[in-house]
Amino acid sequence: MAEIAVSLVERLIEAIWTLAEKEATLLQSVPENTRFIKDELQTIGAFLGVVENMKEDSPKYQMARIWAEQVKDLAYDMEDCLEEQITALTTQSSSWPQYVTNYIALRPFAAKLSDLRSRIFEVSERNRRYDLVTADQPIYNHIMVVLDSVWSRSLKEATEENSYAAWKNGVVPWDEASKVSTSNEETRTTKVAAIVGMCGSNKTTCAREIYKDKKSAEKYECRVWITVSRYENATKVFIHMIDKLSDPSSQDDTRDEDKLARRIRRKLKQKKFLLVFDDLLKIEEWDRIKRALPQVSKSGSLVIVTTEILHVAIGCTESVDNIHWISLLREKESLKLLKDLILASENPKMTCEDKEDFEELDLDSLKVPEPPFNTIAQILRKCSGLELAIKTLAKLLASKPLHKWGELCDDLPSLLYNDPSLNEIREVMVRSYRSLPPYLRPCFLYLSIFPEDSDINVETVLYRWLAEGLVRDRTGMSPGIVGRRYMLELIDRNMIVLTKVKENRSCKTFRIHPMMRDILVMISQEEKVSITVGPRKSFSLLVKRLRHLTLDGQSDRKLARCVELSGIRSLTVFREPSESIAALICSSQLRSLRVLDMSNSSLKITRRDIRHVGELCHLRYLNLYRSNISELPTSIGMLPFLQLLNVRKTWITKLPNEVTQLAKLQYLRASRRIEDSCNNRRNRCCIDSALTVPKGIENLQDIERLDIMDIKDNSGSEIEALGKLARLKHLGLAGITIGNSKQFSKTLERISSSLTYLYLGACRSDGTLACLPISEKKKKKPLEFPRLQTIKLDGHIGKMPYWISNSWTLTDIKLYRTNLQQNHIMSLEKLPCLVTLALLDNSYISETLVFYDKAFRGLKSLEIIRLTKLKTVIFTEEAVRQLRSLAIRCCRLRLKGKNNLKLQKVDLDDGVEEV
């Protein structure tokens, strides 16, 4: 797979430079072979870029693909070899015995390097011998779209209903058809409208409905339909347009793009036209096409663009009002469409009685499925509101007898990839995948690891992309920022569906359409990328060099018979597998592992099970979230490349000091699970129990995220050490007391400039936050948090700190047990970016809470939970005008002025009386 090989090659070149920095010059052949490998890799990388852009119908595509696969295997082996040597040299000392030891260790490395050089030469020679890829072929230009403004402008379109009829009437006012003769003399800027949605969501059908409408023939003097994806460049698009606009006798043979564009403009200026550019995939294509469109045309002229990509739709139109977003059908609409299509087919294999029963099906009856229609609910889940999927499967079901429907449903993933009757939906989805930029394809394909119908956590995916090296560096951007832009691009391209969006517009969870995931699973197996092992998972494709292994339950097949473990880069466990975790991790074959993820699997893992985790020397990502482990082995400190360690909601009470030896650690998340009301989502407590800060925390100079640490029993020097973590962005601390508050305040001042997230929790027994700095007005240099976006305070504070009410970048504030009153809440009213305010667990102790006129202008979400002393909440007429979500739980109070709000989501307890 060429795009993955390119990522590997780029990473390898960086690893070679790292190796050079370690002064690996003990043997003469090492630097020479290293330079040769680096130069050859750069050349191969350029050729791989050509393979990425080759069309599947190219005569040499299959051979070039095999060649790229060989390069990928070679690149993986090189990465292992280089990293093992970097690991060995990391412990190098200046002592003579160590020097001799490294010299001896370097000899086998030199032999491996020579062997790799020979293999690189063979791969390069094979390309030349068969003339697979030539340098004069076009290479894809790796440009990442900037989506910040696009995302903020388009989120409303993506999440709210958008009536097609209303949009159509606004874009194409049919009542003007009778005024053609008078309006023909008028001119105006050419109107451009766009239809955007996921592949297979009926975009082309909507555009064709307008194009073929009888009123269009009356209103427009000429109409032209162009399917842009069928043409290689704008020149061919222009030639086709001229064929439609001109008489055959007036044609010439010019292929000059500028001349063709001028000729089209002259033709269109004289007519009232309707142009449809279907399946536009790049904004660069539109920039070239629009040169042929007159800036001013006869009044009523219209251009319609259909695309899967939101930023393309926005780039083509002058206003988002001219964009129609096609959302997926609701379950009720999907069932109606499926029934109508199957009944209209007049399936001779359905009896009259069956048809009557089928016609009476509704959503309630599907909750208790009965034969022969007990698979309909599963079919609807597989279609997930995608119109083309529903139409395709309806046609397939209509051709089968009812007793075969269940069998068809079980075989659907395989049928989707192989059955000719499903060609249309398969080709649409594969084309959508292939149209992704090369740097996005491996990232999207990686999502096939996650189970069907599961909400996938955005942060989990981002951290795993980084650990796998799938995120390419960009000048001036951290890898984390680049990874988030990758995620936004997938959203922008309608490749993933958001399932939970925070009020500050950040994405929390998403899903992949089930049919798209089936396609990804088949491509992953075909490309030897990943496989899932479980009770009902297929082993039809058994390969040796798979890179990603997912265990999803018990299987009657032994892993060793299916997969060569030595090549596995990631191991993900969702449900308890047949093999024990201890046996897998102890296996010497798993030494290439980069990612070990056992989060949410509820496995009973012990310290003994993972005692050999330190031997996984390449490991970058270790996620034990919600597992039952109670202690980490000391060998955890032997992982020189580890970037993320997540032991949140486990039974671990203390981190070993060896954790501070992880020099490359960027994300350390830890908390102890507590058994109480936290298990009840409506009555959850504020936070899990924190873990003590380990000694030597200042050694983690790359750390960006650290939570939740308890400083109650730490000495002043250990609290001071936190202030030396210059790259810290996300910090969660508990156990703040009067005794340690002075030292902690100094530490907070040192790191305040870099923080974007801050959680501060007072000690549960005698702690208070009132000791924190409150007013900074008299100081020469007031405490400032220029980047702070989220703050959570847990504990009595007495008065709202000045630095909080003046943190203009704050978007989220959550308060627990703070004992505040009305004047303290009023100090937050003018924060311009605040979108979420949560008052929880007696954080507010007055009997009345008033939201005044013009206060909290940007607030969108308000939570009031477990405020036992609160009796009345009042919203004045002009207060919180942007509020969309209101939750009041575990309170008995009167609510006044609710009618002044434009709420979309309301969650009120029975104890709330509306006045």
Side-chain angles (χ1 to χ4, degrees):
M1 188 170 177
E3 53 268 21
I4 293 179
V6 169
S7 298
L8 280 167
V9 166
E10 291 179 352
R11 213 158 65 237
L12 282 171
I13 293 171
E14 180 183 348
I16 288 171
W17 283 119
T18 304
L19 187 62
E21 289 174 0
K22 298 294 180 183
E23 299 181 354
T25 56
L26 298 175
L27 293 179
Q28 188 175 0
S29 65
V30 170
E32 178 188 349
N33 285 337
T34 301
R35 281 193 298 271
F36 171 82
I37 289 173
K38 174 179 171 293
D39 293 340
E40 280 294 303
L41 281 172
Q42 288 176 328
T43 305
I44 288 174
F47 280 105
L48 284 170
V50 177
V51 177
E52 288 177 352
N53 209 36
M54 288 180 72
K55 293 186 178 295
E56 292 189 29
D57 55 0
S58 169
K60 296 180 180 179
Y61 174 75
Q62 290 300 327
M63 291 183 66
R65 192 163 151 263
I66 293 171
W67 177 79
E69 186 67 37
Q70 294 168 349
V71 172
K72 184 178 71 171
D73 288 340
L74 175 58
Y76 276 126
D77 291 342
M78 290 175 64
E79 186 180 41
D80 289 345
C81 177
L82 291 170
E83 284 195 356
E84 284 168 9
Q85 193 59 27
I86 291 171
T87 304
L89 291 172
T90 300
T91 59
Q92 180 175 310
S93 69
S94 57
S95 66
W96 175 250
Q98 186 64 48
Y99 185 87
V100 173
T101 302
N102 284 332
Y103 180 86
I104 295 171
L106 199 61
R107 295 176 72 178
F109 170 65
K112 286 182 181 180
L113 214 57
S114 296
D115 177 60
L116 289 170
R117 173 174 177 160
S118 299
R119 288 174 63 189
I120 287 178
F121 182 79
E122 290 172 7
V123 166
S124 301
E125 186 61 33
R126 191 173 296 117
N127 178 44
R128 285 189 284 270
R129 186 163 63 246
Y130 294 105
D131 192 28
L132 298 176
V133 185
T134 56
D136 59 349
Q137 289 175 271
I139 298 179
Y140 190 95
N141 187 19
H142 300 282
I143 298 176
M144 186 169 56
V145 179
V146 178
L147 292 166
D148 292 342
S149 60
V150 170
W151 174 245
S152 61
R153 291 169 60 192
S154 63
L155 186 67
K156 180 179 178 181
E157 299 294 322
T159 56
E160 294 183 359
E161 290 186 48
N162 189 3
S163 167
Y164 170 66
W167 172 85
K168 179 181 172 182
N169 290 333
V171 170
V172 191
W174 294 116
D175 56 350
E176 289 187 6
S178 60
K179 305 176 183 178
V180 171
S181 58
T182 58
S183 62
N184 270 349
E185 304 304 320
E186 300 174 8
T187 60
R188 66 171 189 179
T189 304
T190 303
K191 188 174 196 176
V192 182
I195 304 174
V196 63
M198 182 182 175
C199 63
S201 60
N202 223 26
K203 301 181 299 295
T204 300
T205 303
C206 290
R208 199 171 292 280
E209 180 184 322
I210 297 173
Y211 184 79
K212 289 193 171 183
D213 195 291
K214 292 181 179 179
K215 295 178 182 178
S216 289
E218 301 172 2
K219 180 174 181 178
Y220 298 109
E221 298 172 71
C222 72
R223 291 175 294 165
V224 178
W225 181 287
I226 305 286
T227 303
V228 180
S229 58
R230 293 180 183 173
Y231 300 97
E232 295 177 6
N233 51 49
T235 302
K236 293 191 176 182
V237 170
F238 292 163
I239 291 171
H240 180 74
M241 289 180 70
I242 289 174
D243 288 343
K244 296 290 186 180
L245 293 170
S246 306
D247 296 329
S249 59
S250 63
Q251 298 295 309
D252 59 36
D253 295 329
T254 183
R255 291 295 183 267
D256 183 273
E257 198 170 290
D258 290 332
K259 289 182 179 178
L260 291 169
R262 286 195 297 271
R263 187 173 173 187
I264 293 170
R265 281 200 304 271
R266 287 196 299 269
K267 291 285 185 182
L268 292 177
K269 273 187 177 180
Q270 302 167 15
K271 300 176 180 178
K272 180 180 289 189
F273 57 82
L274 170 61
L275 306 179
V276 178
F277 294 98
D278 186 35
D279 204 19
L280 185 68
L281 297 176
K282 297 178 184 177
I283 196 66
E284 295 85 0
E285 292 175 344
W286 172 252
D287 290 338
R288 299 181 74 178
I289 288 171
K290 71 180 181 181
R291 293 179 303 150
L293 306 179
Q295 291 185 349
V296 177
S297 59
K298 283 188 177 181
S299 181
S301 293
L302 176 64
V303 177
I304 297 177
V305 171
T306 74
T307 180
E308 297 172 15
I309 306 172
L310 185 56
H311 82 263
V312 171
I314 292 175
C316 294
T317 57
E318 291 184 352
S319 168
V320 292
D321 293 333
N322 290 342
I323 299 174
H324 173 55
W325 180 289
I326 298 185
S327 57
L328 298 176
L329 299 177
R330 293 187 176 88
E331 192 174 13
K332 185 176 182 179
E333 297 167 333
S334 298
L335 177 60
K336 183 179 185 306
L337 178 60
L338 183 71
K339 286 166 54 179
D340 290 346
L341 291 169
I342 291 177
L343 292 171
S345 68
E346 297 183 357
N347 184 353
K349 298 172 183 178
M350 286 181 72
T351 65
C352 293
E353 186 178 339
D354 287 336
K355 288 181 180 179
E356 289 178 5
D357 292 341
F358 186 62
E359 195 167 3
E360 291 176 1
L361 278 181
D362 57 22
L363 294 180
D364 290 332
S365 61
L366 292 181
K367 293 176 183 177
V368 187
E370 294 182 1
F373 306 121
N374 51 327
T375 58
I376 294 298
Q378 188 177 345
I379 291 287
L380 291 177
R381 282 196 301 273
K382 183 67 72 174
C383 293
S384 286
L386 190 64
E387 198 156 333
L388 180 59
I390 296 170
K391 290 177 179 178
T392 306
L393 289 187
K395 190 183 299 183
L396 188 61
L397 290 172
S399 65
K400 305 285 184 181
L402 267 62
H403 69 275
K404 291 283 187 180
W405 284 11
E407 181 182 327
L408 182 149
C409 198
D410 291 338
D411 295 339
L412 194 55
S414 177
L415 293 173
L416 184 61
Y417 208 69
N418 299 296
D419 195 309
S421 63
L422 298 176
N423 273 352
E424 185 178 5
I425 185 70
R426 177 175 63 252
E427 288 173 359
V428 164
M429 290 193 164
V430 170
R431 183 199 59 77
S432 186
Y433 165 74
R434 298 293 181 197
S435 67
L436 288 172
Y439 58 83
L440 274 186
R441 275 182 229 151
C443 294
F444 187 54
L445 195 61
Y446 193 79
L447 301 182
S448 63
I449 290 171
F450 298 92
E452 184 176 322
D453 294 330
S454 65
D455 283 352
I456 304 171
N457 186 274
V458 169
E459 285 195 346
T460 297
V461 172
L462 289 175
Y463 294 150
R464 290 188 59 154
W465 281 351
L466 292 171
E468 297 278 6
L470 297 178
V471 176
R472 299 186 183 181
D473 290 339
R474 291 288 188 274
T475 304
M477 292 186 192
S478 69
I481 292 175
V482 176
R484 290 187 183 279
R485 287 175 178 266
Y486 282 11
M487 187 66 68
L488 288 179
E489 281 202 68
L490 290 177
I491 296 167
D492 173 64
R493 292 172 174 274
N494 280 292
M495 302 301 287
I496 59 179
V497 179
L498 294 178
T499 53
K500 191 168 185 180
V501 181
K502 298 178 183 178
E503 292 298 334
N504 63 1
R505 293 196 179 101
S506 62
C507 319
K508 188 169 184 179
T509 60
F510 67 90
R511 287 192 178 195
I512 312 170
H513 191 278
M515 284 197 173
M516 177 61 83
R517 183 187 174 276
D518 287 342
I519 292 291
L520 290 182
V521 168
M522 298 306 292
I523 293 175
S524 291
Q525 292 188 11
E526 190 178 69
E527 299 284 0
K528 303 177 185 178
V529 174
S530 69
I531 195 169
T532 297
V533 178
R536 300 182 62 186
K537 308 300 184 290
S538 171
F539 285 100
S540 58
L541 182 64
L542 303 181
V543 294
K544 288 296 182 182
R545 297 288 292 191
L546 284 163
R547 302 303 171 185
H548 306 292
L549 175 62
T550 300
L551 304 180
D552 194 15
Q554 303 285 324
S555 172
D556 56 357
R557 303 288 296 270
K558 289 292 183 182
L559 283 178
R561 298 177 184 174
C562 313
V563 183
E564 185 180 312
L565 295 177
S566 61
I568 296 298
R569 281 328 200 244
S570 77
L571 174 62
T572 308
V573 183
F574 289 109
R575 288 187 294 169
E576 188 168 358
S578 303
E579 280 88 350
S580 71
I581 296 299
L584 283 172
I585 295 179
C586 293
S587 171
S588 60
Q589 292 182 297
L590 270 184
R591 293 298 179 260
S592 298
L593 205 64
R594 265 68 174 168
V595 170
L596 178 57
D597 192 342
M598 293 183 280
S599 60
N600 286 308
S601 57
S602 299
L603 292 175
K604 294 181 180 179
I605 307 170
T606 66
R607 179 177 178 272
R608 182 177 177 83
D609 289 334
I610 61 170
R611 66 188 184 279
H612 294 293
V613 71
E615 296 178 19
L616 304 177
C617 62
H618 300 288
L619 201 65
R620 288 160 165 77
Y621 179 102
L622 177 58
N623 193 347
L624 301 173
Y625 174 74
R626 281 192 178 277
S627 65
N628 287 314
I629 193 166
S630 58
E631 187 179 3
L632 287 177
T634 56
S635 64
I636 193 78
M638 298 167 59
L639 302 173
F641 298 106
L642 194 68
Q643 297 171 3
L644 179 141
L645 174 60
N646 188 348
V647 289
R648 286 185 63 228
K649 297 185 183 294
T650 62
W651 299 114
I652 293 174
T653 58
K654 183 180 180 182
L655 293 173
N657 287 334
E658 284 77 9
V659 166
T660 61
Q661 298 172 14
L662 304 173
K664 290 189 178 296
L665 195 66
Q666 297 175 25
Y667 311 99
L668 175 55
R669 308 202 65 191
S671 65
R672 179 162 49 91
R673 193 187 307 176
I674 50 180
E675 294 290 352
D676 59 7
S677 58
C678 287
N679 295 321
N680 187 334
R681 291 187 63 187
R682 291 181 62 84
N683 299 294
R684 61 180 181 272
C685 64
C686 58
I687 204 109
D688 284 339
S689 181
L691 274 63
T692 305
V693 177
K695 293 182 180 180
I697 193 73
E698 67 274 12
N699 296 331
L700 304 181
Q701 286 300 302
D702 283 349
I703 199 81
E704 295 182 12
R705 183 166 188 162
L706 179 63
D707 67 330
I708 307 162
M709 297 291 109
D710 192 334
I711 62 174
K712 177 186 175 184
D713 298 322
N714 285 107
S715 66
S717 60
E718 289 162 1
I719 297 174
E720 183 182 357
L722 292 170
K724 299 177 182 179
L725 305 178
R727 300 184 63 181
L728 203 58
K729 297 177 182 177
H730 182 118
L731 176 63
L733 291 179
I736 298 172
T737 65
I738 294 176
N740 62 26
S741 62
K742 186 175 181 180
Q743 185 63 56
F744 169 69
S745 295
K746 292 180 180 179
T747 297
L748 193 61
E749 289 181 22
R750 294 184 64 181
I751 59 177
S752 61
S753 61
S754 63
L755 291 177
T756 61
Y757 173 99
L758 181 62
Y759 165 79
L760 300 177
C763 180
R764 285 278 168 170
S765 57
D766 60 349
T768 176
L769 298 180
C771 47
L772 294 178
I774 299 296
S775 176
E776 308 291 340
K777 291 182 178 179
K778 297 180 181 180
K779 286 193 173 184
K780 292 181 180 179
K781 188 178 180 182
L783 184 61
E784 294 180 350
F785 291 81
R787 300 180 182 179
L788 193 63
Q789 297 176 7
T790 300
I791 188 165
K792 299 179 181 180
L793 300 179
D794 180 11
H796 173 66
I797 199 166
K799 183 179 179 182
M800 186 64 67
Y802 174 82
W803 50 269
I804 293 180
S805 55
N806 285 271
S807 293
W808 303 113
T809 55
L810 272 176
T811 60
D812 295 76
I813 296 178
K814 292 193 176 183
L815 305 173
Y816 310 83
R817 305 187 304 142
T818 48
N819 295 350
L820 298 176
Q821 300 186 39
Q822 180 73 50
N823 61 320
H824 304 137
I825 302 300
M826 289 174 65
S827 68
L828 306 175
E829 288 180 348
K830 295 183 179 180
L831 290 177
C833 300
L834 190 65
V835 295
T836 300
L837 176 63
L839 304 175
L840 316 166
D841 297 325
N842 291 320
S843 57
Y844 186 84
I845 56 174
S846 295
E847 292 188 356
T848 303
L849 175 61
V850 182
F851 290 89
Y852 291 102
D853 294 354
K854 300 181 181 179
F856 296 102
R857 291 192 173 186
L859 196 69
K860 294 186 177 179
S861 176
L862 175 63
E863 293 184 40
I864 298 173
I865 300 175
R866 288 186 299 278
L867 303 186
T868 56
K869 295 183 180 180
L870 185 62
K871 303 301 180 186
T872 307
V873 178
I874 302 172
F875 295 98
T876 60
E877 189 171 350
E878 293 296 323
V880 287
R881 301 303 297 165
Q882 298 296 319
L883 194 68
R884 296 295 178 266
S885 174
L886 174 64
I888 301 179
R889 299 198 293 269
C890 303
C891 298
R892 300 189 66 84
L893 53 80
R894 302 176 71 194
L895 183 61
K896 297 182 179 181
K898 176 172 168 284
N899 292 336
N900 295 327
L901 308 177
K902 298 180 180 178
L903 297 174
Q904 295 173 351
K905 182 180 178 182
V906 183
D907 185 3
L908 304 179
D909 269 357
D910 294 338
V912 178
E913 178 187 353
E914 296 184 45
V915 180

